[in-house]
Structure formats: C-alpha cells, structure tokens
Amino acid sequence: MLFRSIQKSRKDSGFNVSDRIRLNVNASDNLKQAIETHEDYILKETLCTQLDYSSDAQDLTFEIDDDKLEISLSVVE
C-alpha cells in the first residue's frame, strides 16, 4: 500500500516517469519501522534519491491499516 501511495502521488503531481524524487515522510512508529525495513526497495522502485523523516511532510495524507502517513514529494534537479 505504501509503494502504491508514493507512485500515485508521483503521477498526481505530474512528475515524469523517469524523474528522480526526494521523499519526505511523517509516519506512525509502525509505518516508519516498515519503511525503514524496506527502504532500499522503496528507494529503487520509486526512483527516490533522498528519503527524510520529518513532521514537515504534510502535502499528501494517507491512512494505511489505521496508521497515518503524510508525505511530500519533490523532483530532484
């Protein structure tokens, strides 16, 4: 579900398929642990070059298994 949320956000933001992105995440402890466990896969599959954890990530909000996930994406120049 997390992977799908990031990919949908990329598409909704109008990013090109080949754009490299910076991902900022604000997640519950459960989701943060899952993200950290699968970080390499997430980075590779979403073309993310930088992943930061911060409460500033509030552009998009998702609910995953009763846990709140907020993310913001930007294209890496």
Side-chain angles (χ1 to χ4, degrees), residues 31-66:
L31 286 177
K32 184 176 179 185
Q33 184 178 13
I35 293 167
E36 289 172 340
T37 300
H38 302 286
E39 187 171 318
D40 290 339
Y41 176 77
I42 293 167
L43 294 175
K44 179 183 171 194
E45 293 300 316
T46 61
L47 299 179
C48 181
T49 60
Q50 183 177 346
L51 172 61
D52 297 313
Y53 296 93
S54 167
S55 60
D56 294 336
Q58 298 177 352
D59 291 343
L60 304 160
T61 302
F62 301 95
E63 188 96 6
I64 299 176
D65 295 332
D66 297 326

Side-chain angles (χ1 to χ4, degrees), residues 17-31:
V17 173
S18 60
D19 284 343
R20 303 286 184 216
I21 63 166
R22 180 177 302 110
L23 176 62
N24 195 6
V25 175
N26 183 25
S28 67
D29 289 339
N30 289 339
L31 286 177

Side-chain angles (χ1 to χ4, degrees), residues 6 9-10 13 15 21-23 59-60 71-75:
I6 295 170
S9 299
R10 282 180 58 97
S13 296
F15 296 166
I21 63 166
R22 180 177 302 110
L23 176 62
D59 291 343
L60 304 160
I71 65 171
S72 60
L73 305 170
S74 58
V75 174

Side-chain angles (χ1 to χ4, degrees), residues 4-16 73:
R4 187 177 348 158
S5 299
I6 295 170
Q7 294 297 67
K8 180 179 179 341
S9 299
R10 282 180 58 97
K11 182 179 178 181
D12 292 349
S13 296
F15 296 166
N16 291 320
L73 305 170

